[in-house]
Amino acid sequence: MDGENPNAVRIAVREAPYSQFSGRREPSVVQFPTRSNGKSLMVEQNEFHFDYVFPATISQDEMYQALIQPLVDKFLEGYPCTALAYGQTGTGKSYSMGMAPPDKPEHMGVLPRVLADILERVTARQENHKNPVLVYASFIEIYNEKPFDLLSSRPHMPMVAARCRQCTCLPLHSQEDLQDILELGIRNRRVRATNMNSNSSRSHAIVTIHVKSDTHHCRMNIVDLAGSEGVRRTGHEGVARQEGVNINLGLLSINKVVMAMAAGHPLIPYRDSVLTAVLQESLTAQAYLTFLACISPHRCDLSETLSTLRFGSGAKKLRLNPLQVAR
Ligand code: ADP
Ligand code: MG
């Protein structure tokens, strides 16, 4: 992506702060060796290497500048880009991605910051060009393996999968437009309370910023995945258990697509899940993809933390741009 790190796929890890509900404060299970140069962490005796590792003390601004701003640069050069947060419920996925209005400006997450950068640069370009460049947003939810267009007039009717590309796009001129769109979409989301967290979202949310001109249509996807915790921890039966299975299917399918691309397979299993089908255009050889693995500092979450980190280690092998394969 830059001279130092040319990978179109980057994996970052962000440690969540201590939860105020977790009782006695114990040391975090995650350690950040000072010699690692911000690229590795230790959990128990396991050392993991990533493109970036962010301890709980990192601010939203620092995370954005290091991880997402270079992605916006690529997007404005015309490449399809996706930033995707995954991990256990309660580890800061929605906070990091900026899916809800922040209570303080410093808590502002990725989405409004991306929009600010895009609007600023599109406006600057507009002054030198005759062709109008317009910015739009769409908001899709994948719930129980069905896609919902949260901005449409019928947000509770599943979309026909093949029509995901034709979802409702609303114009974005300002931060206020973005907040209105997020509020509308969030109202329309289906939320299931679970034992883990009463606000826990059991669905994947994909907000896409579209930049369109006469000749171009470029998409930047901000993806807030459903909690990756296993069914065993949610404690529900029936419908909720089925949801758990499907949520894991989505994550597994991303993993399979990632692995198939890493192995150079000619057939990539995009159709294995709605999530990978929706993201298909953004998971191509020209695409730029950034994973943010969100992890818990708590010992009781150790096994989820390890599986989140292992998924990230697997995704590190992904190579997208043909130039990189040739390296
Ligand atoms: P998830 O989407 O992964 O379930 P949330 O983003 O909802 O988790 O985060 C859970 C809670 O922790 C929220 O109240 C959020 O504001 C808070 N939180 C998460 N990460 C941070 C952070 N780095 N700094 C401050 N608060 C955070
Ligand atoms: Mg969330």
Side-chain angles (χ1 to χ4, degrees):
M1 182 157 288
D2 50 39
E4 193 187 303
N5 175 17
N7 285 354
V9 180
R10 297 175 311 155
I11 320 292
V13 177
R14 185 179 199 178
E15 179 195 30
Y18 262 81
S19 156
Q20 63 206 60
F21 306 113
S22 67
R24 192 172 58 88
R25 198 184 164 103
E26 49 178 21
S28 172
V29 294
V30 191
Q31 274 148 22
F32 298 87
T34 43
R35 62 181 159 74
S36 84
N37 207 12
K39 289 181 186 289
S40 67
L41 53 79
M42 299 276 298
V43 174
E44 298 288 270
Q45 300 308 314
N46 308 285
E47 185 160 4
F48 294 91
H49 302 274
F50 296 99
D51 296 305
Y52 300 89
V53 297
F54 300 123
T57 49
I58 199 92
S59 70
Q60 293 281 68
D61 189 48
E62 289 168 296
M63 199 268 295
Y64 180 77
Q65 305 253 350
L67 190 67
I68 305 297
Q69 214 160 42
L71 197 65
V72 177
D73 291 341
K74 284 292 158 193
F75 172 69
L76 291 165
E77 286 172 32
Y79 296 95
C81 291
T82 301
L84 195 145
Y86 77 97
Q88 185 181 5
T89 296
T91 52
K93 297 181 295 298
S94 305
Y95 174 82
S96 297
M97 294 289 116
M99 302 303 285
D103 51 354
K104 295 185 199 156
E106 62 265 34
H107 286 181
M108 199 163 80
V110 163
L111 248 177
R113 290 175 197 264
V114 163
L115 180 67
D117 272 358
I118 289 175
L119 286 179
E120 185 186 318
R121 286 197 258 171
V122 163
T123 310
R125 269 189 206 176
Q126 197 81 297
E127 284 160 13
N128 310 321
H129 286 82
K130 291 196 189 88
N131 289 349
V133 180
L134 298 168
V135 184
Y136 298 88
S138 59
F139 195 168
I140 290 179
E141 174 186 46
I142 299 170
Y143 176 78
N144 222 8
E145 276 304 275
K146 292 189 188 77
F148 296 88
D149 180 350
L150 294 181
L151 305 181
S152 80
S153 52
R154 297 198 300 174
H156 303 298
M157 293 286 288
M159 303 163 74
V160 178
R163 293 184 55 208
C164 283
R165 288 183 202 157
Q166 293 159 25
C167 56
T168 309
C169 285
L170 299 181
L172 269 182
H173 300 294
S174 64
Q175 293 293 342
E176 289 72 34
D177 288 347
L178 176 66
Q179 292 314 325
D180 290 347
I181 285 169
L182 289 179
E183 273 170 33
L184 172 64
I186 288 164
R187 263 203 310 276
N188 288 330
R189 282 186 84 173
R190 284 137 195 261
V191 175
R192 286 279 191 287
T194 72
N195 290 353
M196 297 280 308
N197 174 344
S198 57
N199 294 317
S200 130
S201 182
R202 309 279 298 155
S203 60
H204 307 305
I206 303 167
V207 176
T208 305
I209 297 183
H210 305 255
V211 172
K212 295 188 191 180
S213 70
D214 285 353
T215 50
H216 286 92
H217 179 181
C218 214
R219 295 170 179 85
M220 172 131 192
N221 307 298
I222 305 296
V223 185
D224 181 15
L225 288 181
S228 61
E229 57 275 1
V231 189
R232 68 194 177 282
R233 293 187 65 167
T234 62
H236 283 293
E237 296 293 329
V239 174
R241 178 175 285 271
Q242 179 64 30
E243 287 165 16
V245 169
N246 285 340
I247 285 161
N248 292 340
L249 172 74
L251 285 170
L252 208 71
S253 300
I254 287 190
N255 205 357
K256 278 207 233 159
V257 164
V258 163
M259 291 303 164
M261 289 185 119
H265 288 169
L267 279 180
I268 309 297
Y270 292 116
R271 297 280 144 192
D272 275 11
S273 75
V274 176
L275 182 63
T276 46
V278 167
L279 288 177
Q280 177 162 355
E281 291 166 304
S282 306
L283 298 173
T284 63
Q286 283 71 43
Y288 282 81
L289 182 62
T290 294
F291 286 91
L292 181 66
C294 295
I295 58 170
S296 157
H298 301 286
R299 182 158 296 279
C300 59
D301 296 324
L302 185 61
S303 70
E304 284 302 335
T305 297
L306 287 171
S307 61
T308 299
L309 292 170
R310 286 190 190 114
F311 176 88
S313 292
K316 253 183 74 181
K317 301 188 183 89
L318 180 58
R319 291 288 177 273
L320 282 173
N321 288 349
L323 275 176
Q324 292 178 24
V325 176
R327 269 167 182 270

PDB file of all heavy atoms in Angstrom, residues 290-319:
ATOM      1  N   THR A 290      -8.668  -4.356   4.126  1.00  0.00           N
ATOM      2  CA  THR A 290      -8.052  -4.181   5.445  1.00  0.00           C
ATOM      3  C   THR A 290      -8.925  -4.843   6.502  1.00  0.00           C
ATOM      4  O   THR A 290     -10.113  -4.524   6.602  1.00  0.00           O
ATOM      5  CB  THR A 290      -7.874  -2.679   5.743  1.00  0.00           C
ATOM      6  OG1 THR A 290      -6.928  -2.148   4.816  1.00  0.00           O
ATOM      7  CG2 THR A 290      -7.364  -2.446   7.154  1.00  0.00           C
ATOM      8  N   PHE A 291      -8.350  -5.793   7.213  1.00  0.00           N
ATOM      9  CA  PHE A 291      -9.065  -6.444   8.313  1.00  0.00           C
ATOM     10  C   PHE A 291      -8.663  -5.776   9.624  1.00  0.00           C
ATOM     11  O   PHE A 291      -7.474  -5.566   9.867  1.00  0.00           O
ATOM     12  CB  PHE A 291      -8.643  -7.912   8.445  1.00  0.00           C
ATOM     13  CG  PHE A 291      -9.193  -8.829   7.393  1.00  0.00           C
ATOM     14  CD1 PHE A 291      -8.496  -9.071   6.217  1.00  0.00           C
ATOM     15  CD2 PHE A 291     -10.397  -9.486   7.600  1.00  0.00           C
ATOM     16  CE1 PHE A 291      -8.990  -9.936   5.263  1.00  0.00           C
ATOM     17  CE2 PHE A 291     -10.894 -10.355   6.648  1.00  0.00           C
ATOM     18  CZ  PHE A 291     -10.197 -10.581   5.477  1.00  0.00           C
ATOM     19  N   LEU A 292      -9.647  -5.486  10.457  1.00  0.00           N
ATOM     20  CA  LEU A 292      -9.345  -5.072  11.822  1.00  0.00           C
ATOM     21  C   LEU A 292      -9.881  -6.149  12.759  1.00  0.00           C
ATOM     22  O   LEU A 292     -11.106  -6.324  12.885  1.00  0.00           O
ATOM     23  CB  LEU A 292      -9.989  -3.718  12.144  1.00  0.00           C
ATOM     24  CG  LEU A 292      -9.686  -3.199  13.553  1.00  0.00           C
ATOM     25  CD1 LEU A 292      -8.198  -2.874  13.723  1.00  0.00           C
ATOM     26  CD2 LEU A 292     -10.522  -1.966  13.881  1.00  0.00           C
ATOM     27  N   ALA A 293      -8.965  -6.900  13.352  1.00  0.00           N
ATOM     28  CA  ALA A 293      -9.351  -7.948  14.300  1.00  0.00           C
ATOM     29  C   ALA A 293      -9.462  -7.313  15.679  1.00  0.00           C
ATOM     30  O   ALA A 293      -8.493  -6.755  16.187  1.00  0.00           O
ATOM     31  CB  ALA A 293      -8.289  -9.039  14.314  1.00  0.00           C
ATOM     32  N   CYS A 294     -10.652  -7.358  16.265  1.00  0.00           N
ATOM     33  CA  CYS A 294     -10.860  -6.729  17.569  1.00  0.00           C
ATOM     34  C   CYS A 294     -10.824  -7.812  18.644  1.00  0.00           C
ATOM     35  O   CYS A 294     -11.522  -8.816  18.538  1.00  0.00           O
ATOM     36  CB  CYS A 294     -12.201  -6.002  17.580  1.00  0.00           C
ATOM     37  SG  CYS A 294     -12.248  -4.628  16.415  1.00  0.00           S
ATOM     38  N   ILE A 295      -9.983  -7.600  19.659  1.00  0.00           N
ATOM     39  CA  ILE A 295      -9.809  -8.640  20.675  1.00  0.00           C
ATOM     40  C   ILE A 295     -10.011  -8.091  22.086  1.00  0.00           C
ATOM     41  O   ILE A 295      -9.870  -6.896  22.336  1.00  0.00           O
ATOM     42  CB  ILE A 295      -8.420  -9.320  20.578  1.00  0.00           C
ATOM     43  CG1 ILE A 295      -7.285  -8.306  20.724  1.00  0.00           C
ATOM     44  CG2 ILE A 295      -8.291 -10.105  19.268  1.00  0.00           C
ATOM     45  CD1 ILE A 295      -5.913  -8.949  20.869  1.00  0.00           C
ATOM     46  N   SER A 296     -10.335  -9.009  22.977  1.00  0.00           N
ATOM     47  CA  SER A 296     -10.611  -8.672  24.374  1.00  0.00           C
ATOM     48  C   SER A 296      -9.345  -8.828  25.217  1.00  0.00           C
ATOM     49  O   SER A 296      -8.552  -9.733  24.976  1.00  0.00           O
ATOM     50  CB  SER A 296     -11.695  -9.636  24.883  1.00  0.00           C
ATOM     51  OG  SER A 296     -11.658  -9.741  26.286  1.00  0.00           O
ATOM     52  N   PRO A 297      -9.171  -7.965  26.228  1.00  0.00           N
ATOM     53  CA  PRO A 297      -8.026  -8.128  27.122  1.00  0.00           C
ATOM     54  C   PRO A 297      -8.290  -9.171  28.219  1.00  0.00           C
ATOM     55  O   PRO A 297      -7.377  -9.533  28.959  1.00  0.00           O
ATOM     56  CB  PRO A 297      -7.894  -6.735  27.748  1.00  0.00           C
ATOM     57  CG  PRO A 297      -9.294  -6.209  27.762  1.00  0.00           C
ATOM     58  CD  PRO A 297      -9.980  -6.783  26.548  1.00  0.00           C
ATOM     59  N   HIS A 298      -9.527  -9.658  28.324  1.00  0.00           N
ATOM     60  CA  HIS A 298      -9.923 -10.478  29.473  1.00  0.00           C
ATOM     61  C   HIS A 298      -9.544 -11.947  29.319  1.00  0.00           C
ATOM     62  O   HIS A 298      -9.686 -12.518  28.235  1.00  0.00           O
ATOM     63  CB  HIS A 298     -11.443 -10.385  29.679  1.00  0.00           C
ATOM     64  CG  HIS A 298     -11.911  -8.990  29.911  1.00  0.00           C
ATOM     65  ND1 HIS A 298     -11.702  -8.324  31.082  1.00  0.00           N
ATOM     66  CD2 HIS A 298     -12.538  -8.118  29.086  1.00  0.00           C
ATOM     67  CE1 HIS A 298     -12.204  -7.105  30.988  1.00  0.00           C
ATOM     68  NE2 HIS A 298     -12.704  -6.952  29.777  1.00  0.00           N
ATOM     69  N   ARG A 299      -9.116 -12.534  30.445  1.00  0.00           N
ATOM     70  CA  ARG A 299      -8.724 -13.955  30.441  1.00  0.00           C
ATOM     71  C   ARG A 299      -9.911 -14.860  30.109  1.00  0.00           C
ATOM     72  O   ARG A 299      -9.757 -15.867  29.416  1.00  0.00           O
ATOM     73  CB  ARG A 299      -8.120 -14.335  31.807  1.00  0.00           C
ATOM     74  CG  ARG A 299      -7.626 -15.774  31.892  1.00  0.00           C
ATOM     75  CD  ARG A 299      -6.597 -15.957  32.971  1.00  0.00           C
ATOM     76  NE  ARG A 299      -5.382 -15.200  32.708  1.00  0.00           N
ATOM     77  CZ  ARG A 299      -4.411 -15.606  31.887  1.00  0.00           C
ATOM     78  NH1 ARG A 299      -4.502 -16.757  31.277  1.00  0.00           N
ATOM     79  NH2 ARG A 299      -3.356 -14.847  31.685  1.00  0.00           N
ATOM     80  N   CYS A 300     -11.104 -14.493  30.528  1.00  0.00           N
ATOM     81  CA  CYS A 300     -12.273 -15.353  30.273  1.00  0.00           C
ATOM     82  C   CYS A 300     -12.586 -15.442  28.774  1.00  0.00           C
ATOM     83  O   CYS A 300     -13.305 -16.332  28.337  1.00  0.00           O
ATOM     84  CB  CYS A 300     -13.494 -14.851  31.049  1.00  0.00           C
ATOM     85  SG  CYS A 300     -13.946 -13.170  30.631  1.00  0.00           S
ATOM     86  N   ASP A 301     -12.041 -14.532  27.980  1.00  0.00           N
ATOM     87  CA  ASP A 301     -12.295 -14.534  26.532  1.00  0.00           C
ATOM     88  C   ASP A 301     -11.135 -15.136  25.743  1.00  0.00           C
ATOM     89  O   ASP A 301     -11.098 -15.036  24.505  1.00  0.00           O
ATOM     90  CB  ASP A 301     -12.515 -13.096  26.027  1.00  0.00           C
ATOM     91  CG  ASP A 301     -13.750 -12.461  26.637  1.00  0.00           C
ATOM     92  OD1 ASP A 301     -14.741 -13.185  26.841  1.00  0.00           O
ATOM     93  OD2 ASP A 301     -13.714 -11.243  26.913  1.00  0.00           O
ATOM     94  N   LEU A 302     -10.199 -15.765  26.455  1.00  0.00           N
ATOM     95  CA  LEU A 302      -8.948 -16.202  25.826  1.00  0.00           C
ATOM     96  C   LEU A 302      -9.154 -17.049  24.564  1.00  0.00           C
ATOM     97  O   LEU A 302      -8.503 -16.820  23.542  1.00  0.00           O
ATOM     98  CB  LEU A 302      -8.109 -16.969  26.855  1.00  0.00           C
ATOM     99  CG  LEU A 302      -6.721 -17.395  26.407  1.00  0.00           C
ATOM    100  CD1 LEU A 302      -5.862 -16.194  26.060  1.00  0.00           C
ATOM    101  CD2 LEU A 302      -6.038 -18.200  27.525  1.00  0.00           C
ATOM    102  N   SER A 303     -10.082 -18.011  24.613  1.00  0.00           N
ATOM    103  CA  SER A 303     -10.176 -18.911  23.459  1.00  0.00           C
ATOM    104  C   SER A 303     -10.713 -18.156  22.231  1.00  0.00           C
ATOM    105  O   SER A 303     -10.265 -18.384  21.109  1.00  0.00           O
ATOM    106  CB  SER A 303     -11.002 -20.158  23.780  1.00  0.00           C
ATOM    107  OG  SER A 303     -12.341 -19.796  23.914  1.00  0.00           O
ATOM    108  N   GLU A 304     -11.666 -17.215  22.446  1.00  0.00           N
ATOM    109  CA  GLU A 304     -12.150 -16.401  21.316  1.00  0.00           C
ATOM    110  C   GLU A 304     -11.034 -15.499  20.780  1.00  0.00           C
ATOM    111  O   GLU A 304     -10.897 -15.300  19.575  1.00  0.00           O
ATOM    112  CB  GLU A 304     -13.336 -15.530  21.730  1.00  0.00           C
ATOM    113  CG  GLU A 304     -14.646 -16.252  21.858  1.00  0.00           C
ATOM    114  CD  GLU A 304     -15.082 -16.946  20.572  1.00  0.00           C
ATOM    115  OE1 GLU A 304     -14.666 -16.527  19.470  1.00  0.00           O
ATOM    116  OE2 GLU A 304     -15.820 -17.930  20.680  1.00  0.00           O
ATOM    117  N   THR A 305     -10.249 -14.949  21.704  1.00  0.00           N
ATOM    118  CA  THR A 305      -9.142 -14.075  21.299  1.00  0.00           C
ATOM    119  C   THR A 305      -8.163 -14.851  20.418  1.00  0.00           C
ATOM    120  O   THR A 305      -7.752 -14.374  19.357  1.00  0.00           O
ATOM    121  CB  THR A 305      -8.439 -13.520  22.560  1.00  0.00           C
ATOM    122  OG1 THR A 305      -9.384 -12.736  23.272  1.00  0.00           O
ATOM    123  CG2 THR A 305      -7.231 -12.669  22.212  1.00  0.00           C
ATOM    124  N   LEU A 306      -7.839 -16.074  20.843  1.00  0.00           N
ATOM    125  CA  LEU A 306      -6.908 -16.874  20.042  1.00  0.00           C
ATOM    126  C   LEU A 306      -7.501 -17.206  18.680  1.00  0.00           C
ATOM    127  O   LEU A 306      -6.801 -17.144  17.661  1.00  0.00           O
ATOM    128  CB  LEU A 306      -6.519 -18.154  20.799  1.00  0.00           C
ATOM    129  CG  LEU A 306      -5.574 -17.930  21.990  1.00  0.00           C
ATOM    130  CD1 LEU A 306      -5.428 -19.201  22.813  1.00  0.00           C
ATOM    131  CD2 LEU A 306      -4.200 -17.438  21.511  1.00  0.00           C
ATOM    132  N   SER A 307      -8.798 -17.527  18.623  1.00  0.00           N
ATOM    133  CA  SER A 307      -9.333 -17.869  17.298  1.00  0.00           C
ATOM    134  C   SER A 307      -9.429 -16.633  16.408  1.00  0.00           C
ATOM    135  O   SER A 307      -9.202 -16.715  15.199  1.00  0.00           O
ATOM    136  CB  SER A 307     -10.633 -18.668  17.372  1.00  0.00           C
ATOM    137  OG  SER A 307     -11.614 -17.926  18.010  1.00  0.00           O
ATOM    138  N   THR A 308      -9.727 -15.467  16.998  1.00  0.00           N
ATOM    139  CA  THR A 308      -9.712 -14.221  16.212  1.00  0.00           C
ATOM    140  C   THR A 308      -8.310 -13.965  15.637  1.00  0.00           C
ATOM    141  O   THR A 308      -8.151 -13.625  14.463  1.00  0.00           O
ATOM    142  CB  THR A 308     -10.135 -13.028  17.108  1.00  0.00           C
ATOM    143  OG1 THR A 308     -11.459 -13.257  17.576  1.00  0.00           O
ATOM    144  CG2 THR A 308     -10.089 -11.710  16.354  1.00  0.00           C
ATOM    145  N   LEU A 309      -7.291 -14.171  16.462  1.00  0.00           N
ATOM    146  CA  LEU A 309      -5.912 -13.938  16.007  1.00  0.00           C
ATOM    147  C   LEU A 309      -5.499 -14.973  14.960  1.00  0.00           C
ATOM    148  O   LEU A 309      -4.819 -14.643  13.983  1.00  0.00           O
ATOM    149  CB  LEU A 309      -4.955 -13.969  17.201  1.00  0.00           C
ATOM    150  CG  LEU A 309      -5.132 -12.800  18.185  1.00  0.00           C
ATOM    151  CD1 LEU A 309      -4.318 -13.032  19.449  1.00  0.00           C
ATOM    152  CD2 LEU A 309      -4.734 -11.472  17.530  1.00  0.00           C
ATOM    153  N   ARG A 310      -5.951 -16.209  15.137  1.00  0.00           N
ATOM    154  CA  ARG A 310      -5.592 -17.250  14.145  1.00  0.00           C
ATOM    155  C   ARG A 310      -6.237 -16.969  12.802  1.00  0.00           C
ATOM    156  O   ARG A 310      -5.628 -17.162  11.763  1.00  0.00           O
ATOM    157  CB  ARG A 310      -5.995 -18.638  14.661  1.00  0.00           C
ATOM    158  CG  ARG A 310      -5.063 -19.098  15.759  1.00  0.00           C
ATOM    159  CD  ARG A 310      -5.264 -20.557  16.124  1.00  0.00           C
ATOM    160  NE  ARG A 310      -4.498 -20.817  17.325  1.00  0.00           N
ATOM    161  CZ  ARG A 310      -5.024 -21.137  18.519  1.00  0.00           C
ATOM    162  NH1 ARG A 310      -6.327 -21.290  18.638  1.00  0.00           N
ATOM    163  NH2 ARG A 310      -4.242 -21.317  19.553  1.00  0.00           N
ATOM    164  N   PHE A 311      -7.491 -16.495  12.820  1.00  0.00           N
ATOM    165  CA  PHE A 311      -8.126 -16.120  11.548  1.00  0.00           C
ATOM    166  C   PHE A 311      -7.286 -15.036  10.864  1.00  0.00           C
ATOM    167  O   PHE A 311      -7.026 -15.095   9.660  1.00  0.00           O
ATOM    168  CB  PHE A 311      -9.556 -15.616  11.767  1.00  0.00           C
ATOM    169  CG  PHE A 311     -10.190 -15.134  10.495  1.00  0.00           C
ATOM    170  CD1 PHE A 311     -10.871 -16.008   9.663  1.00  0.00           C
ATOM    171  CD2 PHE A 311     -10.063 -13.806  10.099  1.00  0.00           C
ATOM    172  CE1 PHE A 311     -11.425 -15.562   8.467  1.00  0.00           C
ATOM    173  CE2 PHE A 311     -10.611 -13.354   8.908  1.00  0.00           C
ATOM    174  CZ  PHE A 311     -11.298 -14.241   8.094  1.00  0.00           C
ATOM    175  N   GLY A 312      -6.834 -14.064  11.643  1.00  0.00           N
ATOM    176  CA  GLY A 312      -6.013 -12.976  11.093  1.00  0.00           C
ATOM    177  C   GLY A 312      -4.701 -13.489  10.529  1.00  0.00           C
ATOM    178  O   GLY A 312      -4.266 -13.058   9.458  1.00  0.00           O
ATOM    179  N   SER A 313      -4.082 -14.433  11.224  1.00  0.00           N
ATOM    180  CA  SER A 313      -2.821 -14.996  10.728  1.00  0.00           C
ATOM    181  C   SER A 313      -3.042 -15.695   9.388  1.00  0.00           C
ATOM    182  O   SER A 313      -2.217 -15.598   8.486  1.00  0.00           O
ATOM    183  CB  SER A 313      -2.260 -16.024  11.715  1.00  0.00           C
ATOM    184  OG  SER A 313      -1.864 -15.378  12.880  1.00  0.00           O
ATOM    185  N   GLY A 314      -4.186 -16.391   9.264  1.00  0.00           N
ATOM    186  CA  GLY A 314      -4.502 -17.056   7.990  1.00  0.00           C
ATOM    187  C   GLY A 314      -4.714 -16.034   6.881  1.00  0.00           C
ATOM    188  O   GLY A 314      -4.208 -16.170   5.763  1.00  0.00           O
ATOM    189  N   ALA A 315      -5.453 -14.959   7.204  1.00  0.00           N
ATOM    190  CA  ALA A 315      -5.767 -13.938   6.197  1.00  0.00           C
ATOM    191  C   ALA A 315      -4.508 -13.212   5.727  1.00  0.00           C
ATOM    192  O   ALA A 315      -4.479 -12.656   4.624  1.00  0.00           O
ATOM    193  CB  ALA A 315      -6.769 -12.939   6.774  1.00  0.00           C
ATOM    194  N   LYS A 316      -3.467 -13.212   6.535  1.00  0.00           N
ATOM    195  CA  LYS A 316      -2.214 -12.547   6.162  1.00  0.00           C
ATOM    196  C   LYS A 316      -1.597 -13.122   4.890  1.00  0.00           C
ATOM    197  O   LYS A 316      -0.810 -12.471   4.228  1.00  0.00           O
ATOM    198  CB  LYS A 316      -1.195 -12.731   7.293  1.00  0.00           C
ATOM    199  CG  LYS A 316      -0.935 -11.488   8.084  1.00  0.00           C
ATOM    200  CD  LYS A 316       0.116 -11.717   9.136  1.00  0.00           C
ATOM    201  CE  LYS A 316       1.498 -11.823   8.531  1.00  0.00           C
ATOM    202  NZ  LYS A 316       2.532 -12.058   9.527  1.00  0.00           N
ATOM    203  N   LYS A 317      -1.954 -14.371   4.592  1.00  0.00           N
ATOM    204  CA  LYS A 317      -1.363 -15.014   3.410  1.00  0.00           C
ATOM    205  C   LYS A 317      -2.024 -14.542   2.116  1.00  0.00           C
ATOM    206  O   LYS A 317      -1.559 -14.853   1.031  1.00  0.00           O
ATOM    207  CB  LYS A 317      -1.492 -16.537   3.519  1.00  0.00           C
ATOM    208  CG  LYS A 317      -0.798 -17.077   4.754  1.00  0.00           C
ATOM    209  CD  LYS A 317      -0.759 -18.607   4.744  1.00  0.00           C
ATOM    210  CE  LYS A 317      -0.139 -19.137   6.020  1.00  0.00           C
ATOM    211  NZ  LYS A 317      -1.156 -19.331   7.078  1.00  0.00           N
ATOM    212  N   LEU A 318      -3.125 -13.822   2.241  1.00  0.00           N
ATOM    213  CA  LEU A 318      -3.855 -13.378   1.052  1.00  0.00           C
ATOM    214  C   LEU A 318      -3.048 -12.361   0.249  1.00  0.00           C
ATOM    215  O   LEU A 318      -2.488 -11.420   0.793  1.00  0.00           O
ATOM    216  CB  LEU A 318      -5.182 -12.749   1.483  1.00  0.00           C
ATOM    217  CG  LEU A 318      -6.101 -12.213   0.393  1.00  0.00           C
ATOM    218  CD1 LEU A 318      -6.476 -13.290  -0.601  1.00  0.00           C
ATOM    219  CD2 LEU A 318      -7.342 -11.631   1.023  1.00  0.00           C
ATOM    220  N   ARG A 319      -2.970 -12.592  -1.059  1.00  0.00           N
ATOM    221  CA  ARG A 319      -2.343 -11.635  -1.977  1.00  0.00           C
ATOM    222  C   ARG A 319      -3.359 -11.312  -3.057  1.00  0.00           C
ATOM    223  O   ARG A 319      -3.932 -12.211  -3.651  1.00  0.00           O
ATOM    224  CB  ARG A 319      -1.107 -12.257  -2.632  1.00  0.00           C
ATOM    225  CG  ARG A 319       0.038 -12.463  -1.652  1.00  0.00           C
ATOM    226  CD  ARG A 319       0.657 -11.120  -1.281  1.00  0.00           C
ATOM    227  NE  ARG A 319       1.702 -11.264  -0.300  1.00  0.00           N
ATOM    228  CZ  ARG A 319       1.500 -11.278   1.020  1.00  0.00           C
ATOM    229  NH1 ARG A 319       0.281 -11.171   1.512  1.00  0.00           N
ATOM    230  NH2 ARG A 319       2.504 -11.414   1.847  1.00  0.00           N
TER     231      ARG A 319
END
